[in-house]
Amino acid sequence: QVQLVESGGGLVQPGGSLRLSCAASGSIFSINNMGWYRQPPGKQRELVAIITSDGSTNYGDSVKGRFTISRDNAKNTVDLQMNTLKPEDTAVYYCNAWAIVVGTYKYLGVWGQGTLVTVSS
């Protein structure tokens, strides 16, 4: 089994910055894509950013130029640097990974428990 744990959420002022981290653990053979999604209050979950195993990235339109996703393959971690935060960035942020569990040959989609980011003055 594979588990993801997010950290770094909290309250931040508009225009400020915050860095989220996510660590994968368990019986991991390999991890392909990793990413961040978010769910604002009363809205559906949406893509924030994804990163492939070789470092290729894609971002949601609303965060392009402000957020940066990165990963450390040796540590099985993925980070999200969030700059110039806006009130509309307020959401629960979820880490996501597609992993192959030891002893299997299929990718398993895994989600973290979520971490709350609140952007408010």
Side-chain angles (χ1 to χ4, degrees), residues 39-113:
Q39 187 165 13
K43 299 181 179 180
Q44 293 187 346
R45 186 175 61 191
E46 64 184 18
L47 171 70
V48 177
I50 56 173
I51 184 168
T52 67
S53 59
D54 66 353
S56 181
T57 60
N58 288 101
Y59 296 91
D61 289 340
S62 64
V63 307
K64 289 180 180 177
R66 300 188 297 121
F67 291 10
T68 302
I69 188 171
S70 60
R71 67 189 289 171
D72 186 329
N73 290 336
K75 297 180 178 179
N76 289 144
T77 59
V78 59
D79 290 357
L80 183 70
Q81 178 65 46
M82 304 184 293
N83 298 326
T84 320
L85 284 161
K86 305 174 181 179
E88 51 263 46
D89 294 319
T90 296
V92 176
Y93 284 70
Y94 296 93
C95 180
N96 169 256
W98 287 93
I100 299 178
V101 177
V102 171
T104 76
Y105 60 93
K106 294 182 178 180
Y107 284 106
L108 175 67
V110 184
W111 294 92
Q113 82 286 352

